[in-house]
Amino acid sequence: MPSDRYTGLAAVLEVVRGSADVTQPQIVDRVGLGRSVVAQRVAELESAGLVVSDGFGPSTGGRAPRRLRLHAEAGYVLGADIATNELVVGVADLAGGILATRQQEIEVVWGPEPVVEAVTRLAGELVDEVGARRSLWSFGVGMPGPVAHDSGVRVTMPTLPDWSRHPTREQLAERFGVPVWVDNRTNLSALGERRVNPVAAASEHMVYLGGGYGIGAAVVVGGRIHRGAHGLAGAIDHMPVPGAGDVVCHCGRTGCLEAVAGRAALVRDGRLLAETRQSPALAEVLERTGRIRPVDVTEAAGRGDAAARALLHRSATLIGRSLATLVNVFDPDLVVVGGGIARARAHVLAAIREEIYRSALPAATRDLRIEPSAFDQEIAGITGAVEFALGELFSPEHLPAVLDARSGAPLAEDLPA
């Protein structure tokens, strides 16, 4: 268990990280520590080069207090967002400001070796681009599907068995010489949401709808991500959904939410609408490209295609039914709709809201807010991965190693060529 000293240091640093500029008296008010203790902790963080002065705040009668900010330029962190069919890698400063990204189309079903090799290559390019070889501090990785947080290993699932046996965390740590943390990418998107969305940041109890290899949700309890005993909290994609029928899921069961409302379901059902010409817009896409993607269904609905709109409405209703279960169990005050479904918000948000209000307990929905993500979904995952890397790095558990490194040797050795 971290000592009171490191708990206090982490609390002070968290306040500084979360503020554009903050004074020492304001830190005292926010962390609940005495003035002399806060002064000591600020001095330690300044000595380590993590916090710097940035002018003066308004005086309340005496000497004007110094403004403090995180020394964002002191180092860099990497983030990677591994989605179902896309990989995004980014490099950021210590304030979480993303400096550069690389993107590549992948298929997670290829297996871990080619995907992790792509992560390594793109991350290496970014490190060289910003000159971070001697000042790289940590690496956060978002994986599709549930992850055992302590070990960073993907939870064994029948749909992607190879990933659960792959030492992703160890390979990246060895390659880049820094701590690597791995989590479910939906959890990381929720972290990013809380970082940039004031409404989400103020919520102590939140459910975030996202997606990895399927449909997933992140659950925030007491202001922190609730992962459960095995990293499976919020894994709604393989929950049986009333009214879903007997559609066979790729996990081998029937009636799973993923089988009737996920990415593969939209592709399957959208293609059927195109082939039977029930959807003229999707039929045109199929003839022109030879495939149907979820984005094609969304775009067809946006052009007024009735069949595409009906397909999205049905998916949204089934998703809302599953979210209602989480609302009943966890009693959140906020549900954020993110992930791929957020791109179709004009066609799905009302149906999700309606189904949650209809299916959840009235007491749980009395003051429940159901809102779209404040994020551009193209960067939600990578923003969350960077926030995850920084949050773990500056946590009471890991901050001692950071301070030790800052007092002597560099945190990371020069990366291999």
Side-chain angles (χ1 to χ4, degrees), residues 26-240:
Q26 290 171 331
I27 296 174
V28 172
D29 292 339
R30 296 183 194 181
V31 301
L33 298 173
R35 287 183 296 176
S36 61
V37 174
V38 169
Q40 291 172 1
R41 301 299 173 254
V42 168
E44 287 184 76
L45 293 170
E46 286 184 302
S47 177
L50 292 174
V51 170
V52 295
S53 295
D54 191 18
F56 292 90
S59 171
T60 57
R63 187 171 61 183
R66 294 181 301 142
R67 294 188 187 277
L68 301 169
R69 67 171 177 86
L70 186 71
H71 189 194
E73 305 83 2
Y76 304 89
V77 297
L78 285 166
D81 178 32
I82 304 172
T84 306
N85 60 350
E86 182 183 51
L87 164 66
V88 182
V89 181
V91 62
D93 60 27
L94 297 187
I98 297 177
L99 306 174
T101 61
R102 291 281 193 281
Q103 180 270 345
Q104 178 179 321
E105 290 189 5
I106 54 111
E107 292 292 340
V108 73
V109 293
W110 291 347
E113 289 295 344
V115 175
V116 174
E117 189 280 329
V119 172
T120 302
R121 175 173 48 79
L122 296 180
E125 291 175 2
L126 290 170
V127 165
D128 287 338
E129 179 178 327
V130 302
R133 282 189 172 269
R134 293 185 179 274
S135 51
L136 188 63
W137 287 31
S138 66
F139 199 158
V141 179
M143 296 275 285
V147 172
H149 180 251
D150 291 342
S151 65
V153 174
R154 193 186 190 284
V155 172
T156 301
M157 296 285 278
T159 50
L160 293 172
D162 292 343
W163 280 96
S164 62
R165 296 188 290 266
H166 190 266
T168 302
R169 184 178 184 177
E170 291 79 3
Q171 280 191 359
L172 293 174
E174 181 179 1
R175 171 64 180 83
F176 292 100
V178 296
V180 176
W181 290 286
V182 182
D183 199 359
N184 174 0
R185 66 184 299 264
T186 304
N187 285 344
L188 302 194
S189 292
L191 286 178
E193 188 77 33
R194 287 174 60 78
R195 188 69 174 173
V196 304
N197 182 350
V199 174
S203 173
E204 290 289 300
H205 304 280
M206 179 182 88
V207 169
Y208 177 94
L209 175 69
Y213 190 75
I215 300 170
V219 179
V220 174
V221 176
R224 297 186 177 277
I225 296 292
H226 175 70
R227 295 180 172 89
H230 307 99
L232 290 167
I236 61 174
D237 44 351
H238 296 287
M239 287 173 52

Side-chain angles (χ1 to χ4, degrees), residues 387-408:
E387 176 60 24
F388 178 49
L390 291 168
E392 290 292 324
L393 186 71
F394 296 142
S395 68
E397 293 78 12
H398 301 126
L399 188 56
V402 175
L403 296 177
D404 287 346
R406 295 296 291 171
S407 67

